Amino acid sequence: MARILAFLALALWCILLSPYPTAVFIAAVTAALTLPIYRWLRARMRKTAAVTCFSLGLIGCLATPITIVTLMVVPQAMEGASRLADWWQAGHPIPESISYYLIETQRFLIRYIPEIARYVDKFQSNLTSMGDSLFRNALSSGLGLAGDTMSMVWAMCIYVVFTCLIVVYVPAIRKVMLLALPGCEAMIDRFGRVLHDASRSVFIGIVFVPIIQGTLTGIGLGFLGVPDPAFWGVLAVFAAVIPLAGTALVWLPISVYLWAVDSLASGLMLLAWGSIVVTGADNLLRPYFLSTGIEASMIVLLLSIICSIAVFGPVGVIAGPVMVAVALQAVKESELLSKKDEV
């Protein structure tokens, strides 16, 4: 009967939390990562004070990057959007230096491949229509920013509440799991350790390393006098989680632009900074942090990120490696159980 009631409790909680699967998953990962902090607080103060301090710390961790983005990035993004609108209304002219290279390239291709002329005209027409469509979509996305902001605030509130609830009620959750799976106390503890180690590796390797890369990208752009370096740095943070391409999606086109508009030296300096410093930080830090908590090769982790992004969206960046770690532990546990059955 105890096992049936335990399964009933787990099923009811799953049904209750089913409308917020992403928030619950991220909250569970965060709780696994921050549980030692809450236990440290709980050992030194009453439960109410510990929960309050833990909640305020979690809110502070969320509010700090949002404040930085609001104060530094949003003004630069608004200025950039204003310049983009003025440039588009002026007929989106191409700088003479870049136009020269494009015209020369077009002449070279037509000289040796005359049939390509009609494809070039068609490509230019498609590019113009695609630019118009992207510009209109950007404007419509900007108009819906307020609604997206409210949705984000609501999701963050749910995330904070769920994280605090999981951390506080870990003993109760563990008891229910032991009732549902009697005699599996050691196995449940091992899964808990794996989840903690994987969460730590993912947050450091997939969250903090991109922040370091974005900061380095912004520093390089600011040193070379590129407008709005904070905006491009934040964009590099989001691009850094994209497998294979990463921050090169940001600094590589800008280096080509600097080479064409400013000077070859500026373009080469940014290219060297991006390929050696920014990419080097990723190549050194990310594999190290991920390998410390997840016993899988980088190829497997990259594939897990790509596949989980396709299934779960942006949360797949965290879900993929964590699920790989849990799956590998499940294989180990199945081997241990089969050996016990043989004995």
Side-chain angles (χ1 to χ4, degrees):
M1 179 61 70
R3 181 180 296 185
I4 295 175
L5 293 176
F7 276 114
L8 178 61
L10 292 174
L12 291 175
W13 274 110
C14 290
I15 294 173
L16 183 64
L17 301 177
S18 59
Y20 308 103
T22 301
V24 172
F25 175 81
I26 299 298
V29 173
T30 307
L33 178 66
T34 57
L35 182 59
I37 298 175
Y38 173 76
R39 287 176 173 171
W40 183 86
L41 292 172
R42 186 68 182 88
R44 287 161 176 79
M45 58 186 71
R46 295 181 179 180
K47 183 176 181 179
T48 303
V51 173
T52 302
C53 292
F54 181 83
S55 303
L56 292 176
L58 191 60
I59 293 172
C61 292
L62 293 175
T64 300
I66 294 175
T67 303
I68 294 174
V69 169
T70 302
L71 296 179
M72 295 182 60
V73 178
V74 171
Q76 294 187 6
M78 296 298 292
E79 293 177 6
S82 178
R83 289 196 299 268
L84 179 62
D86 294 339
W87 172 73
W88 197 262
Q89 291 176 358
H92 39 276
I94 301 176
E96 293 183 1
S97 54
I98 298 179
S99 179
Y100 170 78
Y101 288 111
L102 292 176
I103 292 174
E104 290 299 318
T105 303
Q106 182 177 344
R107 288 177 179 176
F108 175 81
L109 292 174
I110 293 175
R111 183 185 306 168
Y112 291 97
I113 312 175
E115 297 82 5
I116 206 173
R118 64 169 180 254
Y119 295 105
V120 171
D121 294 336
K122 186 177 180 180
F123 173 76
Q124 291 176 346
S125 176
N126 292 337
L127 188 63
T128 301
S129 61
M130 183 175 65
D132 291 334
S133 176
L134 289 175
F135 188 74
R136 289 193 297 270
N137 290 335
L139 289 178
S140 62
S141 299
L143 293 175
L145 183 61
D148 294 339
T149 302
M150 293 304 297
S151 299
M152 183 182 68
V153 171
W154 174 244
M156 289 173 57
C157 292
I158 294 176
Y159 161 74
V160 171
V161 171
F162 284 170
T163 303
C164 294
L165 287 175
I166 293 173
V167 167
V168 171
Y169 289 102
V170 160
I173 296 173
R174 188 172 183 273
K175 288 181 181 179
V176 172
M177 294 183 67
L178 288 176
L179 289 173
L181 302 171
C184 298
E185 181 176 358
M187 182 181 69
I188 292 174
D189 291 339
R190 286 193 293 269
F191 270 109
R193 285 194 297 270
V194 166
L195 187 58
H196 172 267
D197 294 341
S199 303
R200 180 189 59 195
S201 300
V202 167
F203 268 92
I204 295 177
I206 300 182
V207 176
F208 290 108
V209 172
I211 292 175
I212 294 173
Q213 289 185 275
T215 303
L216 292 174
T217 302
I219 291 173
L221 295 176
F223 177 78
L224 294 173
V226 176
D228 310 324
F231 170 75
W232 294 113
V234 171
L235 197 63
V237 172
F238 291 101
V241 301
I242 301 176
L244 303 179
T247 55
L249 293 173
V250 176
W251 53 258
L252 185 58
I254 297 178
S255 64
V256 175
Y257 178 82
L258 287 177
W259 168 58
V261 174
D262 189 6
S263 65
L264 177 61
S266 299
L268 291 178
M269 287 177 63
L270 182 57
L271 183 64
W273 178 265
S275 58
I276 297 175
V277 179
V278 179
T279 306
D282 177 59
N283 293 335
L284 290 175
L285 297 177
R286 194 193 302 268
Y288 171 75
F289 287 121
L290 288 177
S291 62
T292 56
I294 304 176
E295 298 178 1
S297 64
M298 280 302 300
I299 296 177
V300 173
L301 294 176
L302 286 175
L303 287 175
S304 69
I305 292 173
I306 294 173
C307 296
S308 57
I309 287 176
V311 177
F312 304 110
V315 73
V317 174
I318 297 175
V322 172
M323 293 174 68
V324 166
V326 174
L328 291 175
Q329 184 62 30
V331 171
K332 293 181 181 179
E333 296 297 336
S334 66
E335 292 177 353
L336 291 175
L337 292 175
S338 57
K339 288 180 181 179
K340 290 181 179 180
D341 292 339
E342 291 176 359
V343 175

